[in-house]
Amino acid sequence: MSTPERAPSYAAVLRVPYAARTFLSSLAGRLSYGTVFLSLMLALTASTGSYAVAGGVIALFGLTGSLLAPVRGGLIDRIGARRALVPMAGVYAVALTALAVATWRPGAAPVWLLVVLGGFAGLCAPPIGPAMRAVWSDIVPDPALRQRAFSLDTVCEEVLLVTGPLLAGLLAAVARPALGVAVSAVLVLAGTLAFTAAPPLRSAAVRPRSARRSGGGGALPVQPVVAAAGLGVVLGALTLLLVVYADGRGRIAAVAWLEAALAVGSALGGLLYGTRTWRRPARVRLPVLTTGLALVLAVAGLAPGLWVLGGVLAVAGLLVSPALTTAYLLADETAAEEHRTRVGTWVNTAFNLGSSLGSAGAGRLAGQVPVAVCFALAAVPLLLSAGFARRRRSVTSVELVPAGR
């Protein structure tokens, strides 16, 4: 990836006018996505007594949230973040509150109502993460500082997705699972209102229309989307494969610290990655990072014991945040100003759908083939995405709407 140079500090990022306030408020809203899935699963299971119903509602919630995210991102690009995000967050919070009420007691609501509310909530989920990355691009025009900002953003978002379920579990333990759903509603509404009230989002005039990009329109950024999908597949499969691996050794409780090793490695890798300014462009760095990650995870299943596997996962984690950060950066670089949020949501959508496919595929393979083979097979989509990027670096996007529209 070439010899790196030292980049500006993270403190320099947060010293950018309004950056700290805007970023922290976006994190408050995004914490809702860390708490809501486990809270919903526990609340739905307790209310209906059926894992099948709970899983179906969660799947519908996740699918509508992921598949329609680019549509919601496009709406933000067309009418502005404040005018789009506030109604989305309001309706989403109402839907979550209704789900909390409907699951507060066992049998309090019919299954069909839970399905409708789950699908409707996913339909309106505000894409705060992509909106924040669009803001970073506006208020941090320097490429080196912007890379630092994106690295910080990715690491903090991952931390929220780890700490969110812990908060949800605590709420379920001290009160009831539905309280976690209600808290998720409060977080997303309060966070979105604070985020959209920040000076960079108060007026479209604040957003600089620099000429640092040209073309791109509303195009689908092929390379980062394919890489994100491959990354989602391998990480989605990994969650289940760690359970299979640990259970095969009679240490199912070890899954928690195995996942912690991956998370800690990812946070450290993301922070270290952001400390450097890389001479090679993002489109060159991305396949290098994904290839390295795929190779490490492909051999992880050969680890002779849990301690060795934990070390391998920590090493793999060093590449997770850098790969995802680079995918976000590449999508941002290829996006036209007026389509930036929409293009950024494609990376999220690809990752989430890939994660679902990875989990489903690992579930089909587990128990039928050796776990080491499952690890290797899970890494294949990520290797293929890296090979695709190397063969077609000249193809950076696929046009979805006419340029300039």
Side-chain angles (χ1 to χ4, degrees), residues 59-69 72 118-124:
L60 181 61
F61 173 74
L63 281 174
T64 53
S66 296
L67 291 175
L68 297 177
R72 296 191 296 274
F120 187 66
L123 181 71
C124 305

Side-chain angles (χ1 to χ4, degrees), residues 25 30 39 70 97 173 189 197 204 245 250 282 315 336-337 353 363 396:
S25 60
R30 283 186 274 184
S39 295
T97 302
L189 184 58
Y245 184 99
V315 172
E337 298 279 353
L353 293 179
T396 57

Side-chain angles (χ1 to χ4, degrees), residues 1-98:
M1 285 186 290
S2 78
T3 303
E5 299 174 351
R6 185 168 296 278
S9 67
Y10 286 114
V13 173
L14 297 177
R15 282 197 298 267
V16 171
Y18 312 118
R21 170 184 171 181
T22 309
F23 180 49
L24 290 175
S25 60
S26 81
L27 291 180
R30 283 186 274 184
L31 178 57
S32 171
Y33 295 117
T35 60
V36 71
F37 282 96
L38 180 58
S39 295
L40 267 178
M41 178 61 75
L42 295 175
L44 288 165
T45 302
S47 175
T48 65
S50 170
Y51 290 112
V53 171
V57 174
I58 292 292
L60 181 61
F61 173 74
L63 281 174
T64 53
S66 296
L67 291 175
L68 297 177
V71 176
R72 296 191 296 274
L75 183 63
I76 292 172
D77 289 327
R78 285 195 298 274
I79 68 174
R82 294 192 75 195
R83 294 175 61 191
L85 281 175
V86 172
M88 285 183 202
V91 175
Y92 177 70
V94 168
L96 288 186
T97 302

